[in-house]
Amino acid sequence: MTIKVAIIGSGPSGFYTADSLLKSGHDVEIDIIERLPTPFGLIRGGVAPDHQTTKKVAKAYEKTALNDAVAYFGNVEVGKDVSMDEMRETYDAVVLAVGAPTDRKLGIPGGDKEGVYGSADFVGWYNGHPDFTDLSPDLNVGAVAVVGVGNVAIDAARVLVKTPAEMAATDIADHASKAVQASPLTDVYLFGRRGPIEAKFTNVELREMGKLENCMPIVHADQLPDEVTGDWSDRDQRLKERNLATMREFLDVDPTGKEKNVHFEFFANPVEVLGGDKVEGLRVERTKVEGGRAVGTGEFFDIECGLVVAAIGYYSIPIEGVPFDSDNGIVVHQDGRVGDGVYAVGWIKRGPTGVIGTNKPDGETAAQQILEDVPDGTKPGREALTAMLDERSVRVVNYAGWQQIEQAEIAAASGEAPRRKFVNVPEMLAVLE
Ligand SMILES: Cc1cc2nc3c(=O)[nH]c(=O)nc-3n(C[C@H](O)[C@H](O)[C@H](O)COP(=O)(O)OP(=O)(O)OC[C@H]3O[C@@H](n4cnc5c(N)ncnc54)[C@H](O)[C@@H]3O)c2cc1C
């Protein structure tokens, strides 16, 4: 009998699992359940709007979605429209591919002031994720502090300082585009507790900061070591050498005509958000690195800023009835097996690390485990889920529905923009009326 598999979440890890199951050649029926009408998780809502080439990976996922054995249930949230228990009862295997949608908290005094945002919210806002449309960060500020020195931090900084021309061929949400263009912002500070060697940027993202039309990358020459030392893998050693070379090149960028600056502040640990109800600045402690760890030196400095974005890591949300490891922000599992017919892939399994492709082996492992554990299907699957959702009047968006929404977004785009995103669910559903 056909094995009935539900994949909860339509991001990379969910699609790689579906693809691996299809490639196995087994008789499977795969339902992808997604809480938003729109698929692809962080490819749509996380990857920066000016990195359209990266977003093209969704075309491969589309092929999977259009396979006859696959059905897309958009606008269906597990935990709200259907319970996890019901999913278990309905499917032979349930794969959790729900990602890590919230932020690790800054956890410093003043961290709850108006104007402090986690990167999940801030990135979601500029990418038009419906959960964050109403965030409305006040960009009528001269400076922004971004806490963190990874790719998410650099994405947020870059989107804030690129010119309208540089952002023309992007799908940044309209509300964010307007706010950024109207902003008097001149300075973005990136804070890393440790040094340039420990920063987690990939080199392509870092190099881009040296090529911006109206923005200078500022590094402190005295913070750049002569060489990369430390116990790194060969791959990491090469990456860090490239990053160090790129940061040295920043010292030679010609500042003429550039009105904005992105400051790379290493050995700097934000300890307090300053201001009244609203952010007015950040107090930072100078650090030194000892044995790979940042240690405070007792020397402090303040910077003025009107907005703080904490890009210090993402965190998963516990799922009802599924054991959760709150220290690491992931479900409890044995190499992806959660137990009782449930599997985990992607960020809910590994935590929020790696690139899109890092999720592929998770999908392959889950597919293999499902086929080992469930030699034969016994559960009702799609038919039963459809009946349940019908009875509850849930407005399911199938893949054809998403394609209609996408066509409407493409048709509404102006100039070089690839699409004009709908930024709330009612607008998306209105296209289908
Ligand atoms: C800001 C940012 C930028 C990034 N940029 C890049 C990049 O440029 N290049 C790169 O290689 N990697 C990038 N990454 C990493 C990449 O996006 C992740 O590795 C990948 O998206 C993780 O996949 P996932 O499937 O685990 O989670 P996600 O992509 O988050 O997908 C999870 C999906 O599950 C859905 N969901 C959640 N809960 C439920 C529920 N209860 N019911 C139904 N559906 C649910 C969500 O709506 C979402 O669609 C970036 C990450 C971030 C945060």
Side-chain angles (χ1 to χ4, degrees):
M1 285 278 283
T2 309
I3 302 169
K4 312 285 171 40
V5 182
I7 297 174
I8 308 174
S10 69
S13 68
F15 270 104
Y16 289 129
T17 308
D19 185 48
S20 293
L21 283 165
L22 291 174
K23 284 191 176 135
S24 74
H26 279 71
D27 183 10
V28 285
E29 184 180 274
I30 304 165
D31 293 343
I32 300 178
I33 324 293
E34 167 57 53
R35 63 181 281 265
L36 295 176
T38 55
F40 310 136
L42 286 168
I43 303 302
R44 179 176 164 103
V47 171
D50 57 335
H51 283 180
Q52 289 297 316
T53 312
T54 308
K55 288 179 189 269
K56 286 206 173 105
V57 68
K59 281 287 154 212
Y61 303 158
E62 174 147 296
K63 278 198 188 134
T64 305
L66 292 173
N67 187 292
D68 286 345
V70 178
Y72 175 69
F73 287 76
N75 202 33
V76 178
E77 182 167 342
V78 174
K80 184 175 140 241
D81 299 311
V82 52
S83 73
M84 191 59 199
D85 280 348
E86 288 168 330
M87 293 301 290
R88 279 196 183 107
E89 283 158 19
T90 308
Y91 289 90
D92 297 305
V94 178
V95 181
L96 301 172
V98 292
T102 59
D103 288 284
R104 285 200 177 268
K105 297 281 167 271
L106 202 47
I108 59 174
D112 54 358
K113 286 191 197 302
E114 194 188 325
V116 180
Y117 299 97
S119 56
D121 298 18
F122 191 71
V123 168
W125 171 74
Y126 67 59
N127 267 322
H129 190 298
D131 287 359
F132 308 108
T133 297
D134 296 329
L135 197 73
S136 306
D138 182 1
L139 292 190
N140 189 21
V141 297
V144 173
V146 180
V147 183
V149 282
N151 282 344
V152 175
I154 232 172
D155 280 351
R158 196 181 62 248
V159 166
L160 284 168
V161 298
K162 270 194 166 179
T163 62
E166 284 173 312
M167 291 301 284
T170 78
D171 61 359
I172 185 171
D174 267 2
H175 53 238
S177 173
K178 283 187 191 130
V180 172
Q181 285 179 31
S183 171
L185 177 86
T186 54
D187 292 89
V188 179
Y189 295 85
L190 297 182
F191 290 101
R193 278 187 298 193
R194 296 185 291 164
I197 301 302
E198 288 85 9
K200 297 217 167 94
F201 312 123
T202 51
N203 191 249
V204 176
E205 298 249 348
L206 184 63
R207 269 205 322 267
E208 207 179 337
M209 299 307 285
K211 297 178 188 154
L212 301 180
E213 267 175 30
N214 193 25
C215 182
M216 267 298 288
I218 313 262
V219 288
H220 302 288
D222 60 356
Q223 292 188 341
L224 302 182
D226 293 336
E227 55 180 1
V228 175
T229 52
D231 192 14
W232 310 107
S233 67
D234 288 351
R235 189 173 168 275
D236 280 351
Q237 177 80 19
R238 278 196 302 277
L239 166 68
K240 286 166 191 306
E241 281 169 1
R242 275 202 297 273
N243 279 357
L244 188 57
T246 301
M247 286 188 245
R248 281 215 194 86
E249 284 163 22
F250 287 172
L251 296 170
D252 300 325
V253 175
D254 181 2
T256 315
K258 297 198 195 282
E259 293 162 337
K260 299 185 182 184
N261 305 297
V262 168
H263 307 257
F264 291 82
E265 297 289 339
F266 296 109
F267 305 106
N269 182 28
V271 291
E272 186 179 352
V273 180
L274 306 172
D277 292 342
K278 235 177 149 236
V279 177
E280 290 171 29
L282 198 60
R283 177 151 302 155
V284 184
E285 182 174 15
R286 191 54 75 207
T287 63
K288 57 185 177 182
V289 174
E290 283 179 0
R293 296 177 63 87
V295 182
T297 61
E299 183 197 332
F300 296 87
F301 62 96
D302 295 348
I303 62 133
E304 272 181 38
C305 63
L307 196 90
V308 175
V309 179
I312 52 174
Y314 282 58
Y315 195 80
S316 296
I317 298 177
I319 299 153
E320 206 190 332
V322 177
F324 192 70
D325 166 359
S326 52
D327 286 343
N328 296 305
I330 54 175
V331 293
V332 177
H333 66 88
Q334 293 280 333
D335 191 23
R337 281 187 173 99
V338 176
D340 210 10
V342 179
Y343 303 81
V345 291
W347 279 16
I348 186 78
K349 171 186 177 185
R350 284 181 291 105
T353 55
V355 291
I356 295 164
T358 318
N359 300 290
K360 200 169 183 187
D362 289 353
E364 290 163 357
T365 304
Q368 211 177 344
Q369 291 169 340
I370 292 168
L371 298 171
E372 272 166 32
D373 298 351
V374 192
D376 205 11
T378 57
K379 302 278 180 77
R382 186 174 302 164
E383 217 175 299
L385 179 70
T386 306
M388 224 182 313
L389 296 172
D390 267 359
E391 202 193 344
R392 293 169 195 177
S393 305
V394 177
R395 174 66 174 96
V396 179
V397 176
N398 61 17
Y399 204 79
W402 150 244
Q403 286 178 311
Q404 241 177 294
I405 294 171
E406 183 172 42
Q407 283 314 312
E409 288 191 335
I410 293 169
S414 54
E416 297 165 62
R419 69 178 72 234
R420 180 174 182 269
K421 277 182 172 175
F422 293 116
V423 296
N424 63 57
V425 172
E427 268 182 4
M428 296 173 190
L429 299 183
V431 173
L432 308 178
E433 293 313 318

